[in-house]
Amino acid sequence: MQRRDFIKNTVLSTGAIAFGSCKEEDPYAEREYKGQIAIIGAGAAGLYAGYLLAEKKANYTIYEAADQIGGRIRSLKGFTDFDLELGAEKIQGNRSLWCDWVKESGAPFVPNISTDFYQIGNQVLSESQWSNNADFKAAVSLVQQAMNYSGADTTLLQYMESAKLASGVRHIADALVANAHGTSANRLSVLGTTEERQAWSAGEGEFLLANRSLTSVLEEKFKNILPRVVLNTQIKRIDYTNERIMLEDAQAQRRYVDKVIITVPLAVLQSTDLQFTPALPESKIASIRSIGMGAGMKVILEFNRRFWDAATDSVYTSGAVPEYRVSSNGRSTKSFVLTGLTMGERAEALSAQSSAAAIQSIIKELDVIYGKGVASGALTNARLMDWGKDPFIKGAYSYPIVGGGGLLTRQTLSLPVQRKVYFAGEATHYGGHSGTVHGAIESGRRVVEELYRDVT
């Protein structure tokens, strides 16, 4: 059973939202705008918004707080003999602009011929090997039910408790649903997850690039607009009181524009790092508070030999890292690399330690799973990416919380303010693609359409 079989890949659509289309139709193609536009953030949403504005010959500048573009797309070169991803990694679904761009880059995908392994107790076995285990089958069944839920809003943990799922396999459902959605089982809304799944329209499958980084795909796609990106410029205050909007950066430098597109991560909006004058409408503030985004980590581990089954795609464990992906599959015959993915409470616990201590505790857990000294004796290199500690990201990606209002809350978050301040980014996607790169890209298209809709 591959995780992709039931997480975010059912081709269902409400028919009410045009996000899922790959067509780049422009309903306001004939309109022109001569004012100055600022885009805050050079992630996928901000870059694509800039790309579309460039097509319209608009006057715009993209301000990026970090020293590189990409946002939560961040590639790691030189760690091993192929490029790794510290952030977004898999292209989810075969019907999106993001998937199209990756294909256009010419990079082949990694063949998907592997299987997933699961830890239960002291054993790590494949799905087929666990197929007669009643507790494992119950966990798989619960995951499928949780992705098609229609009852009262509840957390995944409460859902597992009500179903009396055995404690020894709860980590499997947690990993396949909550961890995959950017959080832990006691925080994820089951009803919200189902709502997003039912609105999904990006097609099927999950795809990994074999010999190219996602950053390089962005750099190639947006090479003509990169000169419009101003790096190392954190916008701290937006004053839209007057006709022209004032932007103030961390060095107290001020700029004046006519419209601003905000694409910063949800956690930045939830913090005090970006101030608005006047304050945003109460409905907007409520929407920002009603969507979750929390700690998330990736740990990259290189070994001098493979100690996991050769057929392994991912290993799901009961430890601090719910999922390890074999990143070297289809990419290298010389390197042996596991990428660990941990979200929510587990990520918070690891984040409270130093990077060295966190990596040491992770390796100790792998030694418990695979045998004393097996992982620690083979480790040659390690790198930890703690997204919660990134000052300009502050977390993994957005997820639905109990009582959060679901897709309607995301739609409220997306609404412009006074035809001056516009919002994009994965958290603003109300068509089922939140938490994805293609969702961020689609929001970039939406926000440019909204801006030009308001041009008279």
Side-chain angles (χ1 to χ4, degrees):
M1 175 197 62
Q2 299 291 331
R3 176 170 44 100
R4 66 188 62 86
D5 289 339
F6 48 80
I7 291 186
K8 289 190 170 182
N9 287 314
T10 299
V11 189
L12 297 173
S13 175
T14 62
I17 301 168
F19 280 122
S21 173
C22 294
K23 296 179 180 179
E24 299 183 70
E25 297 176 357
D26 184 356
Y28 306 108
E30 303 304 317
R31 295 190 180 183
E32 295 183 0
Y33 183 64
K34 300 300 184 182
Q36 182 64 41
I37 304 166
I39 300 173
I40 313 301
L47 290 171
Y48 190 43
Y51 178 92
L52 295 175
L53 290 174
E55 288 186 335
K56 292 176 172 292
K57 298 181 172 52
N59 299 313
Y60 73 94
T61 303
I62 303 175
Y63 298 101
E64 170 55 50
D67 60 1
Q68 59 188 301
I69 67 163
R72 282 164 281 179
I73 294 176
R74 191 171 302 176
S75 304
L76 177 61
K77 295 178 179 292
F79 182 91
T80 187
D81 61 346
F82 60 94
D83 292 341
L84 288 155
E85 302 295 343
L86 293 172
E89 184 170 6
K90 292 190 175 184
I91 293 89
Q92 297 178 312
N94 59 0
R95 288 210 316 267
S96 72
L97 287 174
W98 182 224
C99 188
D100 291 344
W101 296 349
V102 172
K103 289 178 180 177
E104 290 166 6
S105 75
F109 291 126
V110 175
N112 182 21
I113 56 175
S114 303
T115 190
D116 292 336
F117 282 69
Y118 302 84
Q119 178 191 9
I120 301 178
N122 296 324
Q123 288 185 295
V124 175
L125 301 174
S126 68
E127 176 198 358
S128 61
Q129 291 172 317
W130 284 122
S131 61
N132 293 323
N133 182 285
D135 287 342
F136 177 76
K137 289 194 291 184
V140 171
S141 177
L142 183 137
V143 168
Q144 294 169 332
Q145 292 167 16
M147 301 301 291
N148 294 278
Y149 181 73
S150 60
D153 205 358
T154 185
T155 67
L156 179 63
L157 178 59
Q158 291 168 333
Y159 188 61
M160 290 191 289
E161 290 173 343
S162 66
K164 294 181 171 51
L165 186 67
S167 60
V169 293
R170 287 186 183 180
H171 65 278
I172 294 175
D174 192 343
L176 290 171
V177 182
N179 199 64
H181 280 82
T183 189
S184 42
N186 64 335
R187 298 175 182 175
L188 182 71
S189 164
V190 179
L191 189 62
T193 302
T194 293
E195 183 185 27
E196 294 196 352
R197 178 181 183 270
Q198 290 176 341
W200 181 268
S201 60
E204 300 178 351
E206 291 182 338
F207 310 97
L208 289 168
L209 272 67
N211 59 7
R212 185 167 187 175
S213 71
L214 295 180
T215 298
S216 71
V217 174
L218 287 182
E219 290 172 341
E220 178 179 304
K221 178 66 180 179
F222 299 118
K223 60 184 177 182
N224 292 333
I225 73 162
L226 292 183
R228 299 286 193 102
V229 179
V230 181
L231 299 174
N232 300 302
T233 304
Q234 182 187 16
I235 301 301
K236 297 283 289 183
R237 188 162 73 93
I238 298 174
D239 187 337
Y240 60 102
T241 305
N242 300 314
E243 184 175 351
R244 300 208 81 199
I245 304 166
M246 187 276 290
L247 310 178
E248 185 174 272
D249 65 23
Q251 285 70 46
Q253 297 295 312
R254 294 183 175 184
R255 300 163 176 83
Y256 293 86
V257 299
D258 300 290
K259 291 182 183 290
V260 59
I261 296 172
I262 298 169
T263 72
V264 300
L266 175 69
V268 174
L269 293 176
Q270 292 173 336
S271 73
T272 59
D273 285 2
L274 183 58
Q275 298 289 324
F276 293 88
T277 305
L280 293 173
E282 284 298 322
S283 60
K284 180 76 70 177
I285 294 172
S287 69
I288 291 170
R289 294 171 177 166
S290 297
I291 304 170
M293 180 171 168
M297 282 187 180
K298 266 193 170 182
V299 57
I300 314 292
L301 305 171
E302 183 183 41
F303 301 93
N304 59 21
R305 63 186 181 87
R306 175 181 57 78
F307 50 82
W308 51 87
D309 191 288
T312 303
D313 181 16
S314 286
V315 181
Y316 295 97
T317 83
S318 58
V321 179
E323 179 185 5
Y324 292 94
R325 298 168 179 167
V326 183
S327 297
S328 46
N329 277 354
R331 289 169 163 169
S332 176
T333 57
K334 301 177 182 178
S335 299
F336 306 97
V337 180
L338 293 180
T339 296
L341 185 68
T342 182
M343 303 287 184
E345 284 187 315
R346 291 181 179 89
E348 290 169 358
L350 287 174
S351 184
Q353 306 175 44
S354 67
S355 292
I359 290 169
Q360 185 178 27
S361 64
I362 289 167
I363 292 299
K364 284 182 178 179
E365 287 189 352
L366 286 174
D367 276 345
V368 170
I369 295 171
Y370 288 102
K372 184 178 180 180
V374 170
S376 55
L379 183 69
T380 57
N381 205 356
R383 171 71 180 269
L384 187 69
M385 181 65 210
D386 187 345
W387 285 101
K389 287 182 178 177
D390 186 297
F392 309 128
I393 304 294
K394 297 183 178 295
Y397 42 87
S398 67
Y399 62 87
I401 64 174
V402 172
L407 298 181
L408 287 177
T409 296
R410 294 187 185 275
Q411 186 174 24
T412 301
L413 175 59
S414 76
L415 295 175
V417 177
Q418 295 185 13
R419 295 188 176 185
K420 291 182 179 181
V421 185
Y422 298 81
F423 293 83
E426 56 87 6
T428 72
H429 196 292
Y430 53 90
H433 299 167
S434 61
T436 69
V437 175
H438 66 266
I441 290 167
E442 290 162 4
S443 77
R445 180 178 62 191
R446 169 189 53 77
V447 80
V448 170
E449 290 180 359
E450 288 173 344
L451 189 152
Y452 274 83
R453 177 196 63 196
D454 289 343
V455 172
T456 56

